[in-house]
Amino acid sequence: MSVISPTAAYIHLPFCRRRCFYCDFAVFPLGDRLLAEKSGTVDLYLDYLDREIAIAPSFDRSLSSVFIGGGTPSLLSAKQIERILQAVDLRLGIDLDAEISIEIDPGTFDLAKLTDYIAIGINRFSMGVQSFQDDLLKLCGRSHTLADIWRSVELINQAGIENWSLDLISGLPNQTIELWQNDLEKAVEIAPPHVSTYDLIVEPSTVFARYYQPGVTPLPDDPTTAKMYELAREIFTDKGYQHYEISNYAKIGYQCQHNRTYWENRPYYGFGMGAASYVNLQRFTRPRKTREYYQWVEDLVLHQGAIACPVVSPAESLLDRIMLGLRLAEGINLTEIASEFGTDKVEAIATSVAPHIKPGWVSISGVANTGDRLYLTDPQGFLFSNTILAQIFAQLDER
Ligand code: SF4
C-alpha cells in the first residue's frame, strides 16, 4: 500500500454548554452562562491545537475539505474559528473552493455570528436538531428547546445559507412511530438540502446507560426502530433526497464531501482532543481528556510530530474498505479490490454474500468502466449491514 496525501482535515472543538445524556464524545462542558469567546479555557485549547497543527506532516496537495466538529463549535466566535482555519491553511493549505463545514447547535448563534462565519470562509453548516419534541429534547439533556430550533432555522434562512444539514435521532426513550414521523415531516417542511438520521446507541459511560437498556421499554424495540429507519427512507426519498449513505440523505449536489473521505477509506487529518486521523497509513486517536491531550501535544512537539503507532496492514485496510464502503449506496468496487488485495479476497467476499443476494439484501452490478460493484440494498441490506459484514469478515478470516 502506498502513502496518499490527505485532502481532508477534521478539527475537534470539545466545548458544549453541558453534556447530553446520551453523549459519549470527547466533550468539555462549559456551563450555560460562560461565553466561550471570553474563556481562557477555550483559548488555551486553541493554543494546543495550533501547536498540533503546526507540526502536522504536510504533503504536496492542499485540503479540499475541512470539518469543524465537536462538541459545539458554534459556541466559539468567528475570530476563534478563523484562528484555527488560518493555522490549517498555513501548514497544509486549503483549496479556494474547499468545503468548509461547521457544526452548530440551536440557541448558540445569532445572525451576526452566522454572517461572520460565512465571511471567514465557512460554506457548510450542520445543525444538531435531534428532535422536534420539547419533551424528548429535555429527556435527552439537550440545552436547546423547540423554540430555539425554529429561531435557528429562521437565522439560517436570513443569512442566505444554502448548504446546510440537519441531524435527527431515532430510537429515543418514549419515542413512538408517530412522534418520529412528526420529526421527519418537520424536517421535510424545513427542507435543508442534507439530513442525517442516527439510531440511538446507548453507550456504557452515559447517563442513559444508567436508566435504559437497548430494546427494553421505554426504548423502542428492534422492530420499531427498523420501522423508523424505513419511514425515514420513505419520507426523504419521496421528497427527492438521495439516500447516499446508511444514515445520510442529500439533495443532488449536497452530499457531504468531507464525510465521503471516511467512507471511501481515504486518508484524513484529525486535530484536537479525541480526534482520529489516518495519515501515513497510521490510524490514530488522540487522548479524550483535556489534560492528557495537552500532555500528548507536548510529547508530539518533543518528537517533532512523529506519532508512535503501527501502520495499517493490508488485511486491516481491506476490512476498513469493506466496512466503510458498504455504508455508501454505491458500495464497493470489486475490480479495484481484486487488483489491490487479490482475486481470492473478492472470491471470499462473493461467497459470504451469496446467500443474501436472493432475499435482496445485497446486489452486485457491472457498471461500464467502473467494474463490478457490490452494494447493500436500501432499506433491507442497510438494516442488516452488521450481519452481512460479520459474515464477510468471518469468510476473509478463514482465507
Ligand atoms: S451537544 Fe453534541 S457533543 Fe455536546 S454533549 Fe450534546 S451530543 Fe455531545
Side-chain angles (χ1 to χ4, degrees):
M1 292 190 305
S2 53
V3 171
I4 305 169
S5 316
T7 56
Y10 172 80
I11 322 284
H12 189 74
L13 298 178
F15 306 102
C16 288
R17 286 183 285 189
R18 59 178 191 242
R19 183 182 282 279
C20 302
F21 298 153
Y22 57 83
C23 178
D24 82 331
F25 292 166
V27 157
F28 187 111
L30 284 175
D32 280 339
R33 269 159 280 138
L34 190 55
L35 280 175
E37 36 240 276
K38 301 209 177 105
S39 156
T41 310
V42 174
D43 285 332
L44 180 64
Y45 182 82
L46 297 184
D47 289 344
Y48 275 91
L49 257 187
D50 270 350
R51 292 171 73 182
E52 194 197 342
I53 294 166
I55 50 165
S58 60
F59 294 82
D60 51 358
R61 285 183 64 183
S62 48
L63 302 174
S64 58
S65 76
V66 178
F67 195 105
I68 300 165
T72 307
S74 51
L75 287 173
L76 273 67
S77 67
K79 212 165 170 212
Q80 287 171 316
I81 303 288
E82 186 178 30
R83 173 181 167 185
I84 302 166
L85 289 176
Q86 282 172 345
V88 173
D89 192 29
L90 188 68
R91 179 66 184 171
L92 307 171
I94 302 176
D95 292 344
L96 284 176
D97 60 351
E99 177 190 270
I100 305 182
S101 306
I102 190 169
E103 287 181 339
I104 55 176
D105 269 358
T108 59
F109 55 89
D110 55 18
L111 187 58
K113 195 183 254 188
L114 286 186
T115 312
D116 289 348
Y117 282 164
I118 295 167
I120 60 165
I122 298 206
N123 51 29
R124 185 174 183 278
F125 293 78
S126 176
M127 185 156 77
V129 165
Q130 317 312 358
S131 172
F132 286 95
Q133 320 294 331
D134 255 333
D135 288 353
L136 286 185
L137 290 172
K138 215 170 179 181
L139 186 142
C140 289
R142 296 287 302 175
S143 47
H144 68 260
T145 61
L146 183 56
D148 290 328
I149 296 173
W150 289 115
R151 174 84 189 119
S152 300
V153 171
E154 204 177 296
L155 293 172
I156 286 173
N157 289 334
Q158 280 174 17
I161 294 167
E162 277 177 22
N163 192 358
W164 70 284
S165 179
L166 180 157
D167 285 7
L168 292 174
I169 304 184
S170 61
L172 290 170
N174 302 321
Q175 193 178 36
T176 59
I177 295 277
E178 291 69 33
L179 288 175
W180 176 238
Q181 180 162 351
N182 183 281
D183 282 359
L184 299 169
E185 283 165 359
K186 291 274 180 344
V188 293
E189 186 187 320
I190 293 169
H194 189 284
V195 182
S196 304
T197 62
Y198 299 107
D199 187 33
L200 176 76
I201 295 174
V202 181
E203 299 289 356
S205 59
T206 59
V207 172
F208 265 17
R210 272 188 252 151
Y211 301 108
Y212 308 119
Q213 277 179 21
V216 177
T217 311
L219 289 183
D221 58 16
D222 289 349
T224 307
T225 55
K227 259 190 222 149
M228 288 176 169
Y229 186 82
E230 287 171 7
L231 190 62
R233 182 226 175 223
E234 191 185 308
I235 289 181
F236 289 127
T237 54
D238 197 47
K239 292 287 174 194
Y241 289 84
Q242 300 171 302
H243 191 187
Y244 75 102
E245 195 268 351
I246 283 190
S247 307
N248 287 279
Y249 300 84
K251 290 279 172 75
I252 289 172
Y254 288 96
Q255 294 187 15
C256 179
Q257 296 309 314
H258 179 85
N259 288 345
R260 285 197 66 96
T261 307
Y262 305 141
W263 301 320
E264 290 171 9
N265 199 30
R266 289 186 277 127
Y268 56 90
Y269 292 99
F271 299 111
M273 184 172 130
S277 56
Y278 181 31
V279 177
N280 282 332
L281 299 176
Q282 292 173 296
R283 279 195 187 277
F284 181 77
T285 303
R286 283 139 192 78
R288 291 169 52 92
K289 299 236 181 300
T290 325
R291 210 169 277 176
E292 287 158 26
Y293 168 65
Y294 292 168
Q295 184 58 55
W296 177 81
V297 172
E298 281 168 18
D299 292 347
L300 187 76
V301 172
L302 267 182
H303 295 98
Q304 293 161 354
I307 292 183
C309 130
V311 299
V312 174
S313 69
E316 288 165 332
S317 178
L318 174 61
L319 298 189
D320 290 338
R321 173 85 73 94
I322 297 167
M323 183 179 69
L324 296 163
L326 287 181
R327 296 187 62 92
L328 286 166
E330 72 258 32
I332 50 176
N333 185 318
L334 296 178
T335 309
E336 279 176 15
I337 289 180
S339 80
E340 280 175 54
F341 300 97
T343 48
D344 60 321
K345 300 291 187 291
V346 170
E347 281 160 20
I349 296 169
T351 306
S352 60
V353 300
H356 303 310
I357 291 180
K358 210 164 168 205
W361 293 6
V362 171
S363 202
I364 296 182
S365 71
V367 183
N369 304 323
T370 58
D372 287 329
R373 298 206 77 98
L374 180 140
Y375 61 93
L376 304 185
T377 57
D378 182 15
Q380 284 311 100
F382 279 163
L383 273 170
F384 292 102
S385 63
N386 287 342
T387 309
I388 299 164
L389 280 174
Q391 288 171 0
I392 297 175
F393 288 2
Q395 188 72 36
L396 284 167
D397 208 33
E398 278 177 21
R399 298 268 160 152

mmCIF file of all heavy atoms in Angstrom, residues 144-171:
data_model
loop_
_atom_site.group_PDB
_atom_site.id
_atom_site.type_symbol
_atom_site.label_atom_id
_atom_site.label_comp_id
_atom_site.label_asym_id
_atom_site.label_seq_id
_atom_site.Cartn_x
_atom_site.Cartn_y
_atom_site.Cartn_z
ATOM 1 N N HIS A 144 -31.058 22.950 24.201
ATOM 2 C CA HIS A 144 -31.917 23.828 23.410
ATOM 3 C C HIS A 144 -33.366 23.354 23.454
ATOM 4 O O HIS A 144 -33.648 22.199 23.802
ATOM 5 C CB HIS A 144 -31.420 23.934 21.961
ATOM 6 C CG HIS A 144 -31.558 22.669 21.173
ATOM 7 N ND1 HIS A 144 -30.513 21.799 20.953
ATOM 8 C CD2 HIS A 144 -32.624 22.114 20.543
ATOM 9 C CE1 HIS A 144 -30.925 20.788 20.222
ATOM 10 N NE2 HIS A 144 -32.207 20.945 19.960
ATOM 11 N N THR A 145 -34.262 24.252 23.078
ATOM 12 C CA THR A 145 -35.694 23.949 23.063
ATOM 13 C C THR A 145 -36.192 23.956 21.609
ATOM 14 O O THR A 145 -35.450 24.343 20.691
ATOM 15 C CB THR A 145 -36.476 25.023 23.835
ATOM 16 O OG1 THR A 145 -36.254 26.269 23.162
ATOM 17 C CG2 THR A 145 -36.022 25.125 25.281
ATOM 18 N N LEU A 146 -37.447 23.585 21.462
ATOM 19 C CA LEU A 146 -38.054 23.614 20.129
ATOM 20 C C LEU A 146 -38.075 25.049 19.581
ATOM 21 O O LEU A 146 -37.808 25.277 18.389
ATOM 22 C CB LEU A 146 -39.478 23.051 20.232
ATOM 23 C CG LEU A 146 -40.256 22.931 18.930
ATOM 24 C CD1 LEU A 146 -39.506 22.088 17.918
ATOM 25 C CD2 LEU A 146 -41.632 22.312 19.197
ATOM 26 N N ALA A 147 -38.343 25.994 20.465
ATOM 27 C CA ALA A 147 -38.364 27.402 20.033
ATOM 28 C C ALA A 147 -36.981 27.805 19.499
ATOM 29 O O ALA A 147 -36.878 28.527 18.495
ATOM 30 C CB ALA A 147 -38.773 28.304 21.196
ATOM 31 N N ASP A 148 -35.918 27.315 20.148
ATOM 32 C CA ASP A 148 -34.550 27.614 19.666
ATOM 33 C C ASP A 148 -34.357 27.064 18.250
ATOM 34 O O ASP A 148 -33.691 27.677 17.415
ATOM 35 C CB ASP A 148 -33.494 26.966 20.572
ATOM 36 C CG ASP A 148 -33.426 27.620 21.940
ATOM 37 O OD1 ASP A 148 -33.672 28.828 22.032
ATOM 38 O OD2 ASP A 148 -33.126 26.890 22.912
ATOM 39 N N ILE A 149 -34.914 25.871 17.991
ATOM 40 C CA ILE A 149 -34.742 25.259 16.662
ATOM 41 C C ILE A 149 -35.378 26.158 15.599
ATOM 42 O O ILE A 149 -34.734 26.503 14.597
ATOM 43 C CB ILE A 149 -35.389 23.853 16.603
ATOM 44 C CG1 ILE A 149 -34.689 22.906 17.578
ATOM 45 C CG2 ILE A 149 -35.342 23.298 15.172
ATOM 46 C CD1 ILE A 149 -35.354 21.541 17.714
ATOM 47 N N TRP A 150 -36.631 26.561 15.838
ATOM 48 C CA TRP A 150 -37.320 27.365 14.815
ATOM 49 C C TRP A 150 -36.620 28.695 14.601
ATOM 50 O O TRP A 150 -36.468 29.165 13.478
ATOM 51 C CB TRP A 150 -38.791 27.569 15.183
ATOM 52 C CG TRP A 150 -39.591 26.299 15.037
ATOM 53 C CD1 TRP A 150 -40.200 25.608 16.017
ATOM 54 C CD2 TRP A 150 -39.817 25.563 13.814
ATOM 55 N NE1 TRP A 150 -40.805 24.474 15.510
ATOM 56 C CE2 TRP A 150 -40.592 24.425 14.159
ATOM 57 C CE3 TRP A 150 -39.437 25.739 12.491
ATOM 58 C CZ2 TRP A 150 -40.997 23.487 13.214
ATOM 59 C CZ3 TRP A 150 -39.843 24.792 11.549
ATOM 60 C CH2 TRP A 150 -40.611 23.688 11.920
ATOM 61 N N ARG A 151 -36.161 29.286 15.689
ATOM 62 C CA ARG A 151 -35.433 30.563 15.584
ATOM 63 C C ARG A 151 -34.136 30.361 14.780
ATOM 64 O O ARG A 151 -33.783 31.169 13.927
ATOM 65 C CB ARG A 151 -35.130 31.074 17.002
ATOM 66 C CG ARG A 151 -34.271 32.292 17.074
ATOM 67 C CD ARG A 151 -35.074 33.579 16.915
ATOM 68 N NE ARG A 151 -34.194 34.750 16.776
ATOM 69 C CZ ARG A 151 -34.164 35.529 15.722
ATOM 70 N NH1 ARG A 151 -34.953 35.344 14.703
ATOM 71 N NH2 ARG A 151 -33.338 36.559 15.667
ATOM 72 N N SER A 152 -33.462 29.238 15.033
ATOM 73 C CA SER A 152 -32.188 28.973 14.347
ATOM 74 C C SER A 152 -32.395 28.750 12.854
ATOM 75 O O SER A 152 -31.590 29.195 12.030
ATOM 76 C CB SER A 152 -31.496 27.755 14.951
ATOM 77 O OG SER A 152 -31.246 27.997 16.304
ATOM 78 N N VAL A 153 -33.488 28.057 12.510
ATOM 79 C CA VAL A 153 -33.786 27.828 11.096
ATOM 80 C C VAL A 153 -34.038 29.172 10.410
ATOM 81 O O VAL A 153 -33.547 29.436 9.300
ATOM 82 C CB VAL A 153 -35.007 26.892 10.938
ATOM 83 C CG1 VAL A 153 -35.467 26.826 9.486
ATOM 84 C CG2 VAL A 153 -34.675 25.494 11.452
ATOM 85 N N GLU A 154 -34.747 30.039 11.125
ATOM 86 C CA GLU A 154 -35.028 31.374 10.593
ATOM 87 C C GLU A 154 -33.706 32.132 10.339
ATOM 88 O O GLU A 154 -33.529 32.767 9.305
ATOM 89 C CB GLU A 154 -35.848 32.107 11.646
ATOM 90 C CG GLU A 154 -36.718 33.229 11.155
ATOM 91 C CD GLU A 154 -37.503 33.782 12.356
ATOM 92 O OE1 GLU A 154 -38.319 33.033 12.925
ATOM 93 O OE2 GLU A 154 -37.262 34.946 12.706
ATOM 94 N N LEU A 155 -32.785 32.014 11.286
ATOM 95 C CA LEU A 155 -31.493 32.706 11.144
ATOM 96 C C LEU A 155 -30.701 32.165 9.953
ATOM 97 O O LEU A 155 -30.081 32.927 9.204
ATOM 98 C CB LEU A 155 -30.665 32.558 12.426
ATOM 99 C CG LEU A 155 -31.204 33.266 13.665
ATOM 100 C CD1 LEU A 155 -30.406 32.888 14.909
ATOM 101 C CD2 LEU A 155 -31.172 34.785 13.457
ATOM 102 N N ILE A 156 -30.750 30.835 9.786
ATOM 103 C CA ILE A 156 -30.035 30.211 8.657
ATOM 104 C C ILE A 156 -30.600 30.774 7.345
ATOM 105 O O ILE A 156 -29.845 31.127 6.430
ATOM 106 C CB ILE A 156 -30.167 28.672 8.735
ATOM 107 C CG1 ILE A 156 -29.278 28.139 9.863
ATOM 108 C CG2 ILE A 156 -29.808 28.002 7.409
ATOM 109 C CD1 ILE A 156 -29.441 26.667 10.172
ATOM 110 N N ASN A 157 -31.911 30.875 7.278
ATOM 111 C CA ASN A 157 -32.536 31.425 6.068
ATOM 112 C C ASN A 157 -32.193 32.898 5.885
ATOM 113 O O ASN A 157 -31.862 33.339 4.784
ATOM 114 C CB ASN A 157 -34.054 31.228 6.124
ATOM 115 C CG ASN A 157 -34.420 29.758 5.955
ATOM 116 O OD1 ASN A 157 -33.669 28.997 5.343
ATOM 117 N ND2 ASN A 157 -35.530 29.350 6.525
ATOM 118 N N GLN A 158 -32.243 33.640 6.983
ATOM 119 C CA GLN A 158 -31.917 35.078 6.879
ATOM 120 C C GLN A 158 -30.470 35.295 6.419
ATOM 121 O O GLN A 158 -30.181 36.237 5.706
ATOM 122 C CB GLN A 158 -32.093 35.759 8.236
ATOM 123 C CG GLN A 158 -33.539 36.087 8.574
ATOM 124 C CD GLN A 158 -33.673 36.634 9.993
ATOM 125 O OE1 GLN A 158 -32.709 37.064 10.613
ATOM 126 N NE2 GLN A 158 -34.884 36.601 10.516
ATOM 127 N N ALA A 159 -29.589 34.392 6.853
ATOM 128 C CA ALA A 159 -28.173 34.529 6.477
ATOM 129 C C ALA A 159 -27.943 34.080 5.027
ATOM 130 O O ALA A 159 -26.839 34.209 4.500
ATOM 131 C CB ALA A 159 -27.293 33.713 7.422
ATOM 132 N N GLY A 160 -28.975 33.511 4.397
ATOM 133 C CA GLY A 160 -28.856 33.089 2.999
ATOM 134 C C GLY A 160 -28.027 31.824 2.837
ATOM 135 O O GLY A 160 -27.435 31.594 1.774
ATOM 136 N N ILE A 161 -27.992 30.996 3.898
ATOM 137 C CA ILE A 161 -27.185 29.764 3.827
ATOM 138 C C ILE A 161 -27.947 28.708 3.039
ATOM 139 O O ILE A 161 -29.076 28.357 3.378
ATOM 140 C CB ILE A 161 -26.869 29.259 5.252
ATOM 141 C CG1 ILE A 161 -25.954 30.271 5.957
ATOM 142 C CG2 ILE A 161 -26.232 27.876 5.223
ATOM 143 C CD1 ILE A 161 -25.817 30.049 7.446
ATOM 144 N N GLU A 162 -27.302 28.186 1.994
ATOM 145 C CA GLU A 162 -27.957 27.166 1.162
ATOM 146 C C GLU A 162 -27.505 25.763 1.524
ATOM 147 O O GLU A 162 -28.277 24.827 1.494
ATOM 148 C CB GLU A 162 -27.609 27.406 -0.309
ATOM 149 C CG GLU A 162 -28.491 28.443 -0.945
ATOM 150 C CD GLU A 162 -28.082 28.710 -2.375
ATOM 151 O OE1 GLU A 162 -27.427 27.845 -2.986
ATOM 152 O OE2 GLU A 162 -28.419 29.802 -2.861
ATOM 153 N N ASN A 163 -26.198 25.640 1.813
ATOM 154 C CA ASN A 163 -25.628 24.315 2.033
ATOM 155 C C ASN A 163 -25.608 23.998 3.523
ATOM 156 O O ASN A 163 -24.672 24.361 4.233
ATOM 157 C CB ASN A 163 -24.214 24.274 1.441
ATOM 158 C CG ASN A 163 -23.675 22.864 1.364
ATOM 159 O OD1 ASN A 163 -24.340 21.906 1.778
ATOM 160 N ND2 ASN A 163 -22.466 22.722 0.853
ATOM 161 N N TRP A 164 -26.681 23.351 3.972
ATOM 162 C CA TRP A 164 -26.693 23.022 5.393
ATOM 163 C C TRP A 164 -27.408 21.709 5.636
ATOM 164 O O TRP A 164 -28.144 21.205 4.786
ATOM 165 C CB TRP A 164 -27.285 24.157 6.225
ATOM 166 C CG TRP A 164 -28.757 24.402 6.096
ATOM 167 C CD1 TRP A 164 -29.390 25.006 5.065
ATOM 168 C CD2 TRP A 164 -29.766 24.054 7.053
ATOM 169 N NE1 TRP A 164 -30.739 25.068 5.317
ATOM 170 C CE2 TRP A 164 -30.997 24.503 6.533
ATOM 171 C CE3 TRP A 164 -29.750 23.435 8.314
ATOM 172 C CZ2 TRP A 164 -32.196 24.323 7.214
ATOM 173 C CZ3 TRP A 164 -30.942 23.261 8.994
ATOM 174 C CH2 TRP A 164 -32.150 23.714 8.441
ATOM 175 N N SER A 165 -27.166 21.157 6.819
ATOM 176 C CA SER A 165 -27.674 19.838 7.156
ATOM 177 C C SER A 165 -28.348 19.876 8.519
ATOM 178 O O SER A 165 -28.017 20.718 9.349
ATOM 179 C CB SER A 165 -26.505 18.856 7.178
ATOM 180 O OG SER A 165 -26.960 17.573 7.514
ATOM 181 N N LEU A 166 -29.247 18.944 8.707
ATOM 182 C CA LEU A 166 -29.985 18.869 9.969
ATOM 183 C C LEU A 166 -29.868 17.428 10.483
ATOM 184 O O LEU A 166 -30.018 16.486 9.717
ATOM 185 C CB LEU A 166 -31.411 19.256 9.629
ATOM 186 C CG LEU A 166 -32.545 19.330 10.591
ATOM 187 C CD1 LEU A 166 -33.598 20.266 10.018
ATOM 188 C CD2 LEU A 166 -33.143 17.992 10.872
ATOM 189 N N ASP A 167 -29.545 17.269 11.779
ATOM 190 C CA ASP A 167 -29.406 15.929 12.370
ATOM 191 C C ASP A 167 -30.632 15.561 13.190
ATOM 192 O O ASP A 167 -31.136 16.400 13.940
ATOM 193 C CB ASP A 167 -28.249 15.898 13.381
ATOM 194 C CG ASP A 167 -26.896 15.881 12.733
ATOM 195 O OD1 ASP A 167 -26.819 16.026 11.514
ATOM 196 O OD2 ASP A 167 -25.921 15.734 13.484
ATOM 197 N N LEU A 168 -31.061 14.318 13.087
ATOM 198 C CA LEU A 168 -32.161 13.814 13.912
ATOM 199 C C LEU A 168 -31.739 12.485 14.547
ATOM 200 O O LEU A 168 -30.939 11.754 13.962
ATOM 201 C CB LEU A 168 -33.406 13.559 13.060
ATOM 202 C CG LEU A 168 -34.118 14.760 12.450
ATOM 203 C CD1 LEU A 168 -35.231 14.280 11.527
ATOM 204 C CD2 LEU A 168 -34.686 15.674 13.539
ATOM 205 N N ILE A 169 -32.320 12.177 15.710
ATOM 206 C CA ILE A 169 -32.044 10.878 16.350
ATOM 207 C C ILE A 169 -33.336 10.084 16.482
ATOM 208 O O ILE A 169 -34.353 10.609 16.952
ATOM 209 C CB ILE A 169 -31.436 11.046 17.761
ATOM 210 C CG1 ILE A 169 -30.170 11.903 17.715
ATOM 211 C CG2 ILE A 169 -31.095 9.688 18.364
ATOM 212 C CD1 ILE A 169 -29.464 12.032 19.053
ATOM 213 N N SER A 170 -33.264 8.813 16.074
ATOM 214 C CA SER A 170 -34.414 7.915 16.273
ATOM 215 C C SER A 170 -34.083 6.919 17.381
ATOM 216 O O SER A 170 -32.923 6.799 17.794
ATOM 217 C CB SER A 170 -34.728 7.170 14.973
ATOM 218 O OG SER A 170 -33.617 6.392 14.600
ATOM 219 N N GLY A 171 -35.108 6.228 17.850
ATOM 220 C CA GLY A 171 -34.889 5.203 18.880
ATOM 221 C C GLY A 171 -34.722 5.783 20.269
ATOM 222 O O GLY A 171 -34.140 5.137 21.150
#
